[in-house]
Coordinates of all heavy atoms in Angstrom, one line a residue:
A465 N 0.6 -84.4 3.2 CA -0.2 -85.3 2.3 C -0.4 -86.7 2.9 O 0.4 -87.2 3.6 CB 0.6 -85.3 0.9
H466 N -1.5 -87.3 2.4 CA -1.7 -88.7 2.8 C -0.8 -89.6 1.9 O -0.4 -90.7 2.3 CB -3.1 -89.1 2.5 CG -4.1 -88.6 3.6 ND1 -4.5 -89.3 4.7 CD2 -4.7 -87.4 3.7 CE1 -5.3 -88.6 5.4 NE2 -5.4 -87.4 4.8
A467 N -0.6 -89.2 0.6 CA 0.2 -90.0 -0.3 C 0.8 -89.2 -1.3 O 0.5 -88.0 -1.6 CB -0.8 -90.9 -1.0
V468 N 1.9 -89.7 -1.8 CA 2.7 -89.1 -2.9 C 2.6 -90.1 -4.1 O 2.8 -91.3 -3.9 CB 4.2 -88.9 -2.6 CG1 5.0 -88.4 -3.8 CG2 4.3 -87.9 -1.4
A469 N 2.3 -89.6 -5.3 CA 2.2 -90.4 -6.5 C 3.3 -89.9 -7.5 O 3.2 -88.7 -7.9 CB 0.9 -90.5 -7.1
I470 N 4.3 -90.7 -7.8 CA 5.3 -90.3 -8.8 C 4.8 -90.7 -10.2 O 4.6 -91.9 -10.5 CB 6.7 -90.9 -8.5 CG1 7.1 -90.3 -7.2 CG2 7.7 -90.5 -9.6 CD1 8.5 -90.8 -6.7
L471 N 4.6 -89.8 -11.1 CA 4.1 -90.1 -12.4 C 5.0 -89.9 -13.6 O 4.7 -90.3 -14.7 CB 2.7 -89.4 -12.6 CG 1.7 -89.8 -11.6 CD1 0.3 -89.0 -11.8 CD2 1.4 -91.3 -11.6
T472 N 6.1 -89.2 -13.4 CA 7.1 -88.9 -14.4 C 8.4 -89.3 -13.7 O 8.6 -89.0 -12.6 CB 7.1 -87.4 -14.8 OG1 5.8 -87.0 -15.1 CG2 7.9 -87.3 -16.1
E473 N 9.4 -89.8 -14.5 CA 10.7 -90.2 -13.9 C 11.7 -89.1 -13.8 O 12.9 -89.4 -14.1 CB 11.2 -91.5 -14.7 CG 11.7 -91.2 -16.1 CD 10.7 -91.0 -17.2 OE1 9.5 -90.7 -16.9 OE2 11.0 -91.2 -18.4
W474 N 11.3 -87.9 -13.5 CA 12.4 -86.8 -13.4 C 13.5 -87.3 -12.5 O 13.2 -87.7 -11.3 CB 11.7 -85.5 -12.9 CG 10.9 -84.8 -13.8 CD1 9.5 -84.9 -13.9 CD2 11.3 -84.0 -14.9 NE1 9.0 -84.1 -14.9 CE2 10.1 -83.5 -15.6 CE3 12.5 -83.6 -15.4 CZ2 10.1 -82.7 -16.7 CZ3 12.5 -82.8 -16.6 CH2 11.4 -82.4 -17.2
D475 N 14.7 -87.0 -12.9 CA 15.9 -87.5 -12.1 C 15.9 -86.8 -10.7 O 16.3 -87.4 -9.7 CB 17.2 -87.1 -12.8 CG 17.4 -88.0 -14.0 OD1 16.9 -89.1 -14.0 OD2 18.1 -87.5 -15.0
E476 N 15.4 -85.5 -10.6 CA 15.5 -84.8 -9.4 C 14.7 -85.5 -8.2 O 15.0 -85.3 -7.1 CB 15.1 -83.3 -9.5 CG 13.6 -83.2 -9.8 CD 13.1 -81.7 -9.8 OE1 13.7 -80.9 -10.5 OE2 12.2 -81.4 -9.0
F477 N 13.7 -86.3 -8.6 CA 12.9 -87.0 -7.5 C 13.8 -87.9 -6.7 O 13.5 -88.2 -5.6 CB 11.8 -87.8 -8.2 CG 10.8 -87.0 -8.9 CD1 9.9 -87.5 -9.8 CD2 10.7 -85.6 -8.7 CE1 9.0 -86.8 -10.5 CE2 9.8 -84.8 -9.4 CZ 8.9 -85.4 -10.3
K478 N 14.9 -88.4 -7.3 CA 15.8 -89.4 -6.6 C 16.6 -88.7 -5.5 O 17.1 -89.3 -4.6 CB 16.8 -90.1 -7.6 CG 16.1 -91.0 -8.6 CD 17.2 -91.5 -9.5 CE 16.5 -92.0 -10.8 NZ 17.3 -92.2 -11.9
T479 N 16.7 -87.4 -5.7 CA 17.6 -86.7 -4.8 C 16.9 -85.9 -3.7 O 17.5 -85.2 -2.9 CB 18.5 -85.6 -5.6 OG1 17.6 -84.6 -6.1 CG2 19.2 -86.2 -6.8
Y480 N 15.6 -86.1 -3.6 CA 14.9 -85.3 -2.5 C 15.3 -85.9 -1.2 O 15.7 -87.0 -1.0 CB 13.3 -85.5 -2.7 CG 12.8 -84.8 -3.9 CD1 11.5 -84.9 -4.3 CD2 13.5 -83.9 -4.6 CE1 10.9 -84.2 -5.3 CE2 13.0 -83.1 -5.7 CZ 11.7 -83.3 -6.0 OH 11.2 -82.6 -7.1
D481 N 15.1 -85.0 -0.2 CA 15.3 -85.4 1.2 C 14.0 -86.2 1.7 O 13.1 -85.6 2.2 CB 15.5 -84.2 2.0 CG 15.8 -84.5 3.5 OD1 15.6 -85.7 3.9 OD2 16.2 -83.6 4.2
W482 N 14.0 -87.5 1.4 CA 12.8 -88.3 1.6 C 12.5 -88.5 3.1 O 11.3 -88.7 3.5 CB 12.9 -89.6 0.8 CG 12.7 -89.4 -0.6 CD1 13.7 -89.5 -1.6 CD2 11.5 -89.1 -1.3 NE1 13.1 -89.2 -2.8 CE2 11.8 -89.0 -2.7 CE3 10.1 -89.0 -0.9 CZ2 10.8 -88.7 -3.6 CZ3 9.2 -88.7 -1.8 CH2 9.5 -88.6 -3.2
Q483 N 13.6 -88.4 3.9 CA 13.4 -88.4 5.4 C 12.5 -87.2 5.8 O 11.5 -87.4 6.5 CB 14.7 -88.3 6.1 CG 14.7 -88.1 7.5 CD 14.8 -89.3 8.3 OE1 15.6 -90.3 8.0 NE2 14.0 -89.5 9.4
K484 N 12.9 -86.0 5.3 CA 12.1 -84.8 5.6 C 10.6 -84.9 5.1 O 9.7 -84.6 5.8 CB 12.8 -83.6 4.9 CG 12.1 -82.3 5.1 CD 13.0 -81.2 4.5 CE 12.2 -80.1 4.0 NZ 12.9 -79.1 3.2
V485 N 10.5 -85.5 3.8 CA 9.2 -85.7 3.3 C 8.4 -86.6 4.2 O 7.2 -86.2 4.5 CB 9.3 -86.3 1.9 CG1 7.9 -86.6 1.4 CG2 10.0 -85.3 0.9

Side-chain angles (χ1 to χ4, degrees):
H466 286 262
V468 173
I470 297 179
L471 298 181
T472 312
E473 72 282 22
W474 286 102
D475 289 333
E476 66 172 57
F477 298 162
K478 294 178 197 160
T479 64
Y480 287 174
D481 182 347
W482 286 103
Q483 168 95 43
K484 178 174 146 192
V485 172

